[in-house]
Each structure stands twice: as structure tokens, then as C-alpha cells.
Amino acid sequence: MNDHLSLARVGIILAMAGSMALGAARAQTPCSDLPAAEGLTLQTLIERAQRCAAGPRVADREVAVARQRAVATDAALRPHLSAGATATRETVNPDTLGLEFPGLPSLIGPFGVFDARLRLSQAVIDLAQISAGSAADAAVRAAQARADLDRERLASEVALAFIRALAARENLASTEADLDLAMELDTLAHDQHAAGVASGVDVLRAQTAVAQSRYTRSEAQTLLARSQLRLQGLSELPLDPAPLTLQGALEAPEGDETPGPEAALTQARRDRPEFALLDATMAEAEARYAQASRRRLPTLSLVADYGLSTTTDRWDQQDTYRIGAQLSLPIYAGGALQADRAASELRIEQQRLQLAALQRQVEEDVLLAVVTVGNTAEQARAAHAALELAQRELASARDRFRHGVADNLDVVAAQANLARARSQLVNAQAAQQQARLNLAAA
């Protein structure tokens, strides 16, 4: 059974698409398994695109990369343990050590030295590195928000392609009905001509209408193939020009309420992933600014090592150790500290400008979508009325021609009006569904 593309359903699908996680995607059906051939729903196609398209998977890897970078950044504040060993053969000039007494040779050695030890270090105070960790965490949130945004855009693209495929299917059905009608009227014109009621011109008009209807049907077939291939490409289905069985109706359901401008704006400010992305990038910029400012502050770390040292000639090994603290205070770094801080401050200002621009763009998108939904609904109602009138006009003209009261000029004109009314209805319904989708995405 065909089900309507309601605004609420599209909104739910888009919200679901934005919240899908990598782990859930991996647990689903593999991309090699195709959906059931008896009917493809919009939700099925969106879920497949979310799972199989390259864009979401690349975005998921970006999130994973950002998480690993955050782990690497946090590691600077954790203990570092290492082991090392050295073996050397060397000579020593005692004069360089300040050793001068009778009988001491001018050159000692050669002799072998072996040293093996464990080294431990721990940062105690490093405020700049703490800010770097906060920035890395914000970068993870930004990557996740960017992935959510990519998923929502993909869902919108699939939904739009689905609507266009439905419209192309309805348009083809309309042109086929026009061709059937043209052939029926052509038969009537031949019958009337054989009875001596119609002229040869009437037959030629009817034959011209049949040829034009065939041409229009061929265009509709091409449009349907193009729209279906686009939908298959977005949904990661095998590319096949054969007609798809889509479950859905182009006509919008009656009584589906459209939110007002204020409610739509409030929902957009709360749910649009662009705001989450800007919030995360703003937090990252602020953390980078704090990091640049704190690089001027001193850092304190503890160091320790333990091992053995010996000469390889006599192998008189001794355990040795060292415990200490290291305090570092940057004084001058060639202007790098000031430049980093200025760049971070400019980055914050840039994020504020982008947020203001986004807020204005969202307001424009929402208001335009609300207005367009209302206008396209009125266009659909007008197209329905025009179709009914065109059908009545054709019926009247055909009766007049069948009874020999008039030629088929009015019939051909009424036939063209009916074809135009059918095409306008399909276009109006498609425009209404696209407007509802734009409002859901806005």
C-alpha cells in the first residue's frame, strides 16, 4: 500500500539519520544484501545510504581520528616510562675534568662503559597542556557534529531524489494516459470520417496529437530513468535502468499541520546540527586561546631514573639513580607566543561571525520554507480544480464531435488542456512535497 510522505515522517527520518552512530551502522545488514524488490520505502533507502555511502563512513573515520588525537594529547599529562641502555668505548683527557696531580697520565683509557636504566617523568603543572586537552575534546565534538550534518544532508538528498522519482513515475503515468486518450480520439476521428461526419483535417489533427503524445511519453521515460539512477546512486543500490518499485504517494496527506514560523525557528535553533558544530568549534577556539595564553606560564615536572653503571673492563657494576624536579619558564620565543595568541583570538571572532550569519540564514530558510509550504498547498488545490475542469471540457468537446455538431478542433484543444492540467498537478504535488522536506530540514 502506498503511504504518504508526511512532514512528521520526513522530520523523524532526518532526525534519525542525524543520530545514527558508527557502531549501530556496523551491526546492521551488510551493504551486499539488497532491500526487498517488492517495494522500496523512503526510510529503507535513507537507512541504506547512511550505512553504505562513502560520505558517512568517511565522516565516522574522521570522528575516530579526532578521538585518537585527543588520547594522544591527554597522554602528555600522564606518566612516561622508558628504558634505555648504552655501551661505549672511550678515552678521557683528565685536564678537561680539572684533574691535575703528579703521576696522572695525560690520557686515560681506552675503557668500556655500560649503562642501563629506567626513566620516569610526570608533568605536575602544565596549564597549557590542560587547555590543549580541552581543545582536543572539543575537536571530537566538532567532528561528531560534522558527521551528523553530513548524515542529515545525505538524508535530505535521498528524500529529494525519492520525491523526484515519484514525480517522474506519476508524470510517466500521466503521459501514458494522454497517449491512450489521443489514440482513442484518433480512432473516433477515423470512425467519424468513415461515416462522412468528419473531414480529413480532423483525422490529421488526431494523428498529430498521437505523435505529440508519443514524444512526450518518451521524454517522461527518460526523466524517470534519470531520476531513478540518481536515487540508486545516492542509496548505494545497483545501477539499473529498470523501473524501481517505490512505496509512496506523491500527493500530500490531508490535515497534516504545518508549524508556524516561531515554532519552526525554535525547533531549528534546537535541532540543526550546524549549531552543534559551531558550538564545538567555538569551544575548540576558546581552548586554543587559553592554551596560547598559558604557554607563558611556568611548567613543573618530576623526573627520576634508576639503573646500573659499570666499566666493561672490570665489570664493577653499581646501582645508580636520580630524582629531581624540572621547572621551565618561557621568556622569549621569537614572537611565536604572541602570534599564537593573536591567531586564536581571531579564530574566536571568526566563529562569532559565522554564528551570527548562521542564525540569520536559518531564519531566512525557515520563513521561506513556511511560506513555500502554504503556497505550494494552494497550487496543488488549484491544479486539482484545473484537472477536473479540463476533464469536463474534454467530455463536452468529445460529445459534440461524436454527434457531428462540431469538428475535433475543440477536442484537440481540450486534450492539450487536460495534458497540461495533469502535468501541472504532478509538478504542484512534487513542489509541495519538496517544500515540506525543506521545512523539515530547515
Side-chain angles (χ1 to χ4, degrees), residues 253-283:
E254 295 291 339
D256 192 16
E257 296 184 359
T258 301
E262 291 299 327
L265 279 173
T266 301
Q267 183 177 0
R269 295 189 182 104
R270 183 183 67 245
D271 297 339
R272 280 189 62 156
E274 291 96 326
F275 286 105
L277 176 58
L278 276 180
D279 287 342
T281 53
M282 174 65 80

Side-chain angles (χ1 to χ4, degrees), residues 5-19 42 46 152 155-156 159 256 259 267 271 433 436-442:
L5 289 171
S6 67
L7 176 62
R9 180 180 174 185
V10 171
I12 291 173
I13 291 174
L14 292 177
M16 173 203 67
S19 62
L42 175 58
I46 288 181
E152 181 173 307
S156 297
D256 192 16
Q267 183 177 0
D271 297 339
Q433 290 288 21
R436 296 157 71 84
L437 174 63
N438 291 336
L439 179 58

Side-chain angles (χ1 to χ4, degrees), residues 1-5 9 13 31 33-49 51 158-159 161-163 165-166 169 224 227-250:
M1 179 180 295
N2 289 342
D3 40 323
H4 294 288
L5 289 171
R9 180 180 174 185
I13 291 174
C31 298
D33 294 344
L34 300 179
E38 60 267 16
L40 297 171
T41 64
L42 175 58
Q43 182 172 353
T44 299
L45 294 174
I46 288 181
E47 289 176 348
R48 181 175 178 83
R51 186 174 68 251
V158 173
F162 188 84
I163 292 172
L166 288 180
R169 184 184 68 182
L224 178 60
S227 62
Q228 288 190 162
L229 287 172
R230 172 63 176 168
L231 181 60
Q232 289 169 343
L234 290 172
S235 305
E236 294 295 320
L237 292 171
L239 297 180
D240 187 353
L244 294 175
T245 304
L246 302 179
Q247 288 188 358
L250 190 61

Side-chain angles (χ1 to χ4, degrees), residues 43-88:
Q43 182 172 353
T44 299
L45 294 174
I46 288 181
E47 289 176 348
R48 181 175 178 83
Q50 298 279 333
R51 186 174 68 251
C52 303
R57 290 189 289 172
V58 170
D60 289 334
R61 272 48 176 193
E62 289 294 333
V63 175
V65 168
R67 289 197 177 109
Q68 295 305 315
R69 287 175 177 169
V71 171
T73 302
D74 293 339
L77 298 175
R78 299 192 182 100
H80 287 195
L81 180 64
S82 63
T86 60
T88 61

Side-chain angles (χ1 to χ4, degrees), residues 164-198:
R164 289 175 175 171
L166 288 180
R169 184 184 68 182
E170 295 297 324
N171 186 57
L172 178 59
S174 175
T175 58
E176 289 176 342
D178 293 337
L179 179 58
D180 292 340
L181 176 60
M183 296 177 66
E184 178 184 344
L185 295 177
D186 179 54
T187 301
L188 177 60
H190 279 85
D191 292 344
Q192 294 292 84
H193 183 263
V197 179

Side-chain angles (χ1 to χ4, degrees), residues 82-85 115-119 305-309 318 320-322:
S82 63
D115 184 88
R117 63 190 56 252
L118 293 174
R119 295 180 178 87
D305 64 53
Y306 178 84
L308 61 89
S309 295
Q318 297 292 331
T320 60
Y321 67 90
R322 180 184 62 167

Side-chain angles (χ1 to χ4, degrees), residues 73-125:
T73 302
D74 293 339
L77 298 175
R78 299 192 182 100
H80 287 195
L81 180 64
S82 63
T86 60
T88 61
R89 189 72 176 172
E90 59 187 74
T91 59
V92 176
N93 182 0
D95 291 342
T96 61
L97 302 178
L99 301 177
E100 297 182 3
F101 51 87
L104 185 67
S106 60
L107 183 66
I108 300 176
F111 58 90
V113 177
F114 177 80
D115 184 88
R117 63 190 56 252
L118 293 174
R119 295 180 178 87
L120 176 67
S121 64
Q122 170 65 61
V124 178
I125 300 176

